[in-house]
Amino acid sequence: MSHPPMPPARRVNVGEVTLSVHEAGPKDGLPVLLLHGWPELALSWAAQIEALAGAGYRVIAPDNRGFGASDAPHEVSAYHVDRLTGDIAGLLDALGIEKAVIVGHDWGGILMWHAACLIPERFLGAVGVNTPHLPRGSKPPTDVFREMGGEEHYIVRFQEDAADGIFKGRESDFFDFVFGASFPSADIGKLPPSVTHLPKRFERFIERGGLKSEDDVVVPKEARAEYARIYAETGFRGGVNWYRNFDANWERMGGVDHRLSMPCLMISAECDYMLPPKLTAWMPALCKDLEMHVIENIGHWTQYEAPDALNAYLLDWLGRRFKGLPS
């Protein structure tokens, strides 16, 4: 595994907060905005930034609010979907961009789909990496997660203030654990509810002596060290606060039309046990213009596990759907 160098970051005032933003590619290229998930940073897009910029796209990859070198307000309400969507609009405004193609992975994918519904006029197209566009459920998300994994489900645990410190002081071990290789595809449907008990599984990982081999992880050692260094400085509260808004965001999206007319691309990972490809079954009913692909034999960390395949899908789709469009 290798990790391309990241372009330098600069601080960009987007309204309520200032974000740390990496930019690459020609300024007159078609803008492509990359939104990372938890516990990632803009760093997770290094291979995609290199490929997209090399193909002539203007690539923008921020550390999202609460992560890395971006501002991280303490209060939970600061991470409501309206505030996060405001960051996206504010960033595009600050960069003089009217519309961009938006790409999101994990939490970045959830935000991306919500933003595509709330401010569709700012996007040329939308790309979900692992994270599908879903209809609004009939009950608050935390109720659903409790049904899936009980009180030990990591998203339920993250609702507690104590979750801010679960991984504190053990950042290196945490990233060795969380970036572990996926379960085989044949096992995905047989996994017990305890697979969602991330804090407990982390404790068992530590008790067993931590990482045994680099073959057991999918993110390069130097990248994991950088994640650990940054999180040792920032702590985990900012990112965890995104989870604490699940129910508030569910309330907010009530009555919002989830149907999208913009071009949409969905790239799933066969072995992602939290976001399996079967969840995309709703998408043809929600996305008028949809293309879907599944990358086989990889799990949740698609940017690292299959950078070439992901880049190929992105470049092919962008080239076909937006060729000749002005920036």
Side-chain angles (χ1 to χ4, degrees):
M1 293 182 288
S2 62
H3 203 287
M6 286 287 286
R10 67 183 177 101
R11 303 271 291 169
V12 179
N13 187 321
V14 301
E16 282 191 349
V17 297
T18 297
L19 301 181
S20 176
V21 182
H22 300 264
E23 299 174 83
K27 294 295 184 182
D28 61 351
L30 189 78
V32 179
L33 175 62
L34 305 175
L35 300 180
H36 67 82
W38 182 89
E40 298 166 297
L41 304 165
L43 177 66
S44 67
W45 294 111
Q48 287 67 55
I49 294 170
E50 181 179 63
L52 291 167
Y57 294 97
R58 181 181 182 182
V59 189
I60 305 109
D63 284 347
N64 296 332
R65 177 191 293 229
F67 292 86
S70 291
D71 288 355
H74 184 81
E75 63 273 16
V76 171
S77 61
Y79 299 84
H80 185 275
V81 65
D82 283 334
R83 318 269 296 261
L84 299 176
T85 300
D87 290 350
I88 295 173
L91 176 57
L92 295 178
D93 289 343
L95 299 181
I97 296 171
E98 181 182 355
K99 294 186 177 185
V101 175
I102 187 170
V103 183
H105 174 255
D106 187 77
W107 255 112
I110 296 176
L111 174 59
M112 179 273 294
W113 292 121
H114 284 352
C117 295
L118 295 170
I119 52 170
E121 68 278 4
R122 302 309 301 264
F123 307 121
L124 296 165
V127 183
V129 180
N130 293 62
T131 310
H133 182 35
L134 297 172
R136 182 177 181 268
S138 61
K139 61 180 69 175
T142 55
D143 288 353
V144 177
F145 298 132
R146 281 190 175 88
E147 292 172 2
M148 289 173 58
E151 294 299 321
E152 289 297 332
H153 192 296
Y154 76 100
I155 294 175
V156 177
R157 287 284 304 276
F158 281 6
Q159 305 307 306
E160 307 166 1
D161 283 342
D164 294 352
I166 291 176
F167 312 113
K168 182 177 177 59
R170 302 185 289 179
E171 291 83 7
S172 292
D173 284 327
F174 172 71
F175 286 103
D176 287 347
F177 163 74
V178 80
F179 286 141
S182 180
F183 301 97
S185 59
D187 295 341
I188 296 297
K190 308 172 188 175
L191 295 173
S194 59
V195 73
T196 65
H197 299 175
L198 189 147
K200 275 195 169 184
R201 289 176 53 216
F202 174 62
E203 296 299 336
R204 290 197 295 269
F205 174 81
I206 296 294
E207 291 168 3
R208 293 193 301 264
L211 184 65
K212 303 300 184 184
S213 167
E214 285 294 313
D215 293 335
D216 296 333
V217 289
V218 297
V219 173
K221 185 175 183 179
E222 65 271 20
R224 301 198 312 274
E226 182 69 357
Y227 281 108
R229 181 190 67 79
I230 292 171
Y231 273 84
E233 294 177 358
T234 66
F236 286 82
R237 181 177 175 85
V240 172
N241 273 344
W242 286 54
Y243 289 91
R244 292 170 177 148
N245 277 275
F246 250 127
D247 287 356
N249 294 346
W250 175 81
E251 291 280 359
R252 168 65 178 89
M253 297 304 290
V256 173
D257 190 349
H258 282 57
R259 294 171 297 177
L260 301 175
S261 59
M262 67 184 72
C264 296
L265 174 65
M266 181 65 218
I267 303 170
S268 299
E270 181 186 18
C271 304
D272 188 338
Y273 67 87
M274 286 299 294
L275 296 169
K278 67 181 181 181
L279 293 180
T280 65
W282 293 99
M283 291 186 64
L286 296 174
C287 303
K288 181 179 180 180
D289 182 348
L290 174 65
E291 184 172 321
M292 297 195 294
H293 300 279
V294 177
I295 303 177
E296 296 180 349
N297 301 317
I298 67 164
H300 186 66
W301 312 111
T302 300
Q303 301 100 303
Y304 289 104
E305 295 184 66
D308 293 341
L310 176 57
N311 292 344
Y313 281 130
L314 290 173
L315 291 170
D316 174 68
W317 183 77
L318 289 167
R320 284 188 287 107
R321 301 311 309 272
F322 303 103
K323 185 177 181 180
L325 281 184
S327 59

